[in-house]
Amino acid sequence: MATRIGITGSTGHIGGQVARALAAKGVPQRLIVRDPGRAPQLPNAEVVRASYDDRDALLAALDGLDLVFMVSASESATRLDDHKTFVQAAADAGVKHLVYTSFAAADPNATFTLARDHYATEQAIKGSGMAFTLLRDNFYGDAVLDFADDTGTIVGPAADGRCAFVMRSDVAEAAATILLNPDDHLNATYTLTGPESLNFDEAAAAASKATGRRFRFVNQTVDQAYETRRRDWPGYADWQYDAWVSTYTAVASGVFDEVTDDLPALLGRPATSLQDGIAALDAAGH
């Protein structure tokens, strides 16, 4: 019997690209989404409604699946609890293999606060009895443009720290490769990075060359970073400000500096550079 595949996150960037890649190969799949109206319309794709915090809906949505691609949920105060609910529901529904989008340098004491949730999710998956494949993605190069304000200025306490930014399209291609050949990746952990490690001055220069627009980086102290974010985005909970600021302090710490060969090994080609990746996004109007 063919492996039955479930895909979460198909209304988003990575899950959507993975679902389209499987559809292009003619692979049947089940798209598990919160809002069926936003699900991509793909051949051989069944759409079912379930959210990560709804155990009963998840049990029904995951029933009969062997292999599931679990895209990490949007950051929230309840994300870890929601992840644990999903993992337990998958195990209880009989899923045999879970492929999860984790984060580089995931650790219970990670400087980047959201990486702590990823580590705890990894532990829940490893303790579930299911086989797993963990994709520890570095920061997405796609987000560099989002870091900039309307003037093209990126501000934060990253100092001269370096980051091996990875493009979402590469991560999605790697995930699809794994889902098409899951037995080759049982209980594996991959750290997915770009081909080079850049500081934010260099990342801004790459974005400028890729788009023809001017980007620049201005370093801040930690106190300045909290002050500007509370001023520009008032009303958020403390954990959200901590996540935003620790994005930069984690880069400054050097934990995202490593360039690995995992992505080229999965793709059979070099990883996409930040400049080339942003140029492709810009050409596509993103």
Side-chain angles (χ1 to χ4, degrees):
M1 183 186 301
T3 298
R4 294 162 294 185
I5 301 177
I7 304 294
T8 70
S10 64
T11 61
H13 294 287
I14 290 178
Q17 291 180 58
V18 169
R20 287 189 288 274
L22 295 183
K25 295 281 190 180
V27 176
Q29 58 186 313
R30 184 180 300 166
L31 307 181
I32 302 166
V33 297
R34 287 178 298 173
D35 180 2
R38 294 181 56 223
Q41 301 299 305
L42 300 172
N44 297 313
E46 172 192 11
V47 177
V48 297
R49 183 188 179 282
S51 57
Y52 281 11
D53 61 351
D54 188 339
R55 174 177 165 81
D56 289 342
L58 287 171
L59 286 172
L62 294 164
D63 182 57
L65 298 178
D66 301 311
L67 173 65
V68 172
F69 182 51
M70 178 188 175
V71 177
S72 57
S74 299
E75 54 197 64
S76 74
T78 64
R79 177 163 75 162
L80 179 55
D81 288 339
D82 296 344
H83 280 184
K84 289 181 176 180
T85 297
F86 183 91
V87 170
Q88 190 59 57
D92 291 345
V95 172
K96 297 179 179 65
H97 185 176
L98 202 61
V99 180
Y100 173 62
T101 57
S102 187
F103 209 86
D107 186 88
N109 300 306
T111 299
F112 179 48
T113 55
L114 299 183
R116 302 170 193 172
D117 288 351
H118 286 288
Y119 176 83
T121 302
E122 289 184 357
Q123 295 306 110
I125 293 169
K126 289 179 178 180
S128 70
M130 294 181 287
F132 60 85
T133 309
L134 304 177
L135 305 182
R136 287 187 157 193
D137 308 338
N138 208 311
F139 278 114
Y140 294 135
D142 313 51
V144 168
L145 301 183
D146 298 330
F147 291 159
D149 64 17
D150 291 342
T151 70
T153 304
I154 302 168
V155 297
D160 198 37
R162 310 183 79 82
C163 182
F165 296 100
V166 65
M167 300 307 297
R168 286 192 183 109
S169 57
D170 278 3
V171 172
E173 185 178 336
T177 297
I178 290 166
L179 293 168
L180 291 168
N181 303 277
D183 290 346
D184 294 340
H185 308 282
L186 292 175
N187 300 332
T189 299
Y190 300 113
T191 297
L192 304 186
T193 75
E196 58 196 345
S197 189
L198 306 174
N199 63 33
F200 268 98
D201 284 318
E202 293 165 338
S208 297
K209 291 177 182 177
T211 64
R213 304 190 299 276
R214 181 171 182 264
F215 291 87
R216 67 188 185 108
F217 171 65
V218 176
N219 192 52
Q220 292 183 309
T221 66
V222 172
D223 287 344
Q224 288 171 333
Y226 275 101
E227 179 183 350
T228 56
R229 282 152 183 80
R230 291 184 188 280
R231 180 196 68 207
D232 295 341
W233 300 292
Y236 285 89
D238 287 345
W239 70 263
Q240 182 70 80
Y241 294 114
D242 292 340
W244 286 336
V245 173
S246 68
T247 297
Y248 295 90
T249 56
V251 171
S253 77
V255 296
F256 298 122
D257 184 21
E258 180 188 20
V259 174
T260 76
D261 293 327
D262 288 352
L263 193 50
L266 288 165
L267 300 183
R269 62 166 176 81
T272 305
S273 71
L274 181 65
Q275 183 174 327
D276 288 347
I278 291 179
L281 290 172
D282 191 59
H286 297 301

